[in-house]
Amino acid sequence: LSRGLGDVYKRQGSECAFDLRLVAPRLPDFPVPAGHTEQTWLVELVRHGATTRYGPREAPRVKRAWERLDHELATIDQLGFPGYFLTVWDIVRFCTERDIYCQGRGSAATSAVCFALGITNVDAVKLGLLFERFLSPARDGPPDIDVDIESGRREEVIQYVYERYGRRHTAQVANVICYRARSALRDMGKALGHSRQEVDDWAKASDRDQPLGGRNRLPPLLGELATEVLDFPRHLGIHSGGMVICDRPVIEVCPVEWARMPGRTVLQWDKDDCATVGLVKFDLLGLGMLEAIHHMVDL
C-alpha cells in the first residue's frame, strides 16, 4: 500500500513540476525596414559604419578588418543575437542624436562590430583584441555590453527605453540589500525598544563587516538577534543601471513594483535571478567623468 501511494505522490509531484524555460522571455523583435531581417539589417548598419571606420571593403585602411567583421557577424547570427546588438545600437543612436555623451566599455571593446556601430571607440582590429573574449559559441547566455552615459543625463536614456519598449515590457533590476552588522544592530535594537542614541552608539562601535565588534557591551539578546539576521535580505534597491526588456509583460515573468524615484519601475529580482530565468539585461551606467568631459568640450 505504501509503495502504491508513493508512486501516486511521485506522479502528482511530476505533474506539478515545471521548468523555468517555460517562462523564459525573449527580447522583443527589433523593428527593421521592409525586406530585412534583424540579421540583414545589422549587416547593413555594420557595412555603413565600417566603410566610415575602415574604408571600403575593396580598399580597407586596416588590414583584415572586413574579414574580422564577417567572422563576428557570422558568430552573432549563429548564436541568434542580432536583436541584442540592434537594441544597444539604438540606445547609442538616441544618445548621439541628443548630444548625450556615452561609451560602450568592457569586453565589448574587443568587437569590431561594436566599433563599426559606434557603440565603442576602440579599434579592436588594429589593436589585435580577441573577439572571443566577448562572444563565442563556447560561452553561455547573451553578450554583455555596458554603456557608460554622462551621469547628469542618464535619466533621459532610461526614460527613452521605457518609452521605446513600453512600461509593461521593461523594468529596472533590483539590488537585494542584506543586513550587515550595523544595520542589523539598528533594526534589532529598535525592535527591542532601545533608545535611538543607544542603538546608534552600538552600531558605530561595531565593525561594518565583522559582526558586532562591540558585542561585549551589547545586551545579550540584542547581540544574539543581530547575529542571527546577518546576510538576511532587508529591502530592495535599484541596480546601478541594469534594465531588462521583455517580449511580454514583465509581470508575467517577475513581480514589478514602483520605485521611490518617480517614473521608474523595478523588478523584485536581482541580476543573478534575471540571468537564471533568461531575462536579458542592459547596463546603462552613469559616469561623472563623461559629464565632466562634456562640460570641458563645451567650454
Side-chain angles (χ1 to χ4, degrees):
L1 178 61
S2 62
R3 187 183 306 130
L5 285 174
D7 290 341
V8 171
Y9 292 149
K10 184 177 180 180
R11 184 172 65 254
Q12 290 175 339
S14 299
E15 291 172 353
C16 291
F18 72 96
D19 192 310
L20 284 175
R21 284 175 295 185
L22 292 174
V23 298
R26 300 171 51 253
L27 282 176
D29 293 333
F30 191 89
V32 297
H36 279 284
T37 65
E38 288 182 340
Q39 178 66 20
T40 61
W41 184 234
L42 177 64
V43 170
E44 180 64 21
L45 291 174
V46 169
R47 184 195 63 78
H48 177 77
T51 301
T52 301
R53 295 278 204 180
Y54 290 120
R57 182 183 287 269
E58 301 77 20
R61 293 189 294 271
V62 179
K63 188 178 180 181
R64 301 187 65 83
W66 285 91
E67 291 90 333
R68 170 67 174 267
L69 290 166
D70 291 340
H71 165 66
E72 292 191 16
L73 287 167
T75 302
I76 292 168
D77 188 24
Q78 175 188 349
L79 298 177
F81 294 140
Y84 181 93
F85 283 83
L86 290 172
T87 301
V88 178
W89 165 81
D90 180 64
I91 292 170
V92 172
R93 176 201 57 76
F94 170 81
C95 292
T96 303
E97 290 180 356
R98 299 298 177 94
D99 193 29
I100 300 171
Y101 277 24
C102 72
Q103 176 70 71
R105 64 171 172 85
S107 61
T110 68
S111 168
V113 164
C114 287
F115 181 60
L117 292 172
I119 294 171
T120 61
N121 281 311
V122 173
D123 187 342
V125 181
K126 183 181 292 186
L127 295 174
L129 302 179
L130 183 65
F131 172 67
E132 282 70 20
R133 181 174 177 268
F134 168 57
L135 187 65
S136 79
R139 296 185 58 147
D140 187 27
D144 184 15
I145 303 177
D146 295 338
V147 180
D148 286 330
I149 301 165
E150 57 173 299
S151 54
R153 302 188 65 187
R154 181 177 66 135
E155 189 61 25
E156 294 177 48
V157 185
I158 290 173
Q159 293 304 321
Y160 168 72
V161 175
Y162 278 127
E163 179 184 349
R164 177 80 164 78
Y165 296 96
R167 177 70 59 177
R168 298 180 65 195
H169 290 263
T170 188
Q172 292 182 265
V173 178
N175 270 340
V176 179
I177 311 300
C178 296
Y179 276 107
R180 306 299 287 267
R182 293 178 180 177
S183 59
L185 276 173
R186 286 193 167 94
D187 279 8
M188 296 305 104
K190 293 174 186 176
L192 293 172
H194 295 289
S195 71
R196 181 187 295 269
Q197 186 61 54
E198 286 180 311
V199 171
D200 284 345
D201 289 344
W202 288 325
K204 290 174 183 176
S206 176
D207 187 89
R208 181 175 181 271
D209 296 309
Q210 295 299 320
L212 317 178
R215 182 181 300 172
N216 58 342
R217 299 190 292 109
L218 297 175
L221 181 57
L222 174 57
E224 179 183 337
L225 292 177
T227 301
E228 187 174 335
V229 301
L230 282 175
D231 298 323
F232 279 22
R234 184 179 186 274
H235 65 276
L236 294 180
I238 300 183
H239 185 276
S240 58
M243 297 190 76
V244 299
I245 303 171
C246 193
D247 65 341
R248 68 197 69 174
V250 184
I251 56 170
E252 293 183 9
V253 183
C254 171
V256 179
E257 63 185 52
W258 287 106
R260 290 185 179 182
M261 187 169 184
R264 292 190 180 193
T265 45
V266 61
L267 300 172
Q268 293 184 353
W269 290 350
D270 66 11
K271 60 184 180 65
D272 295 326
D273 298 326
C274 293
T276 298
V277 80
L279 280 164
V280 181
K281 177 172 66 72
F282 298 86
D283 285 325
L284 310 177
L285 307 171
L287 190 64
M289 183 54 68
L290 273 180
E291 183 175 9
I293 290 173
H294 199 163
H295 287 318
M296 292 303 100
V297 171
D298 289 345
L299 287 172

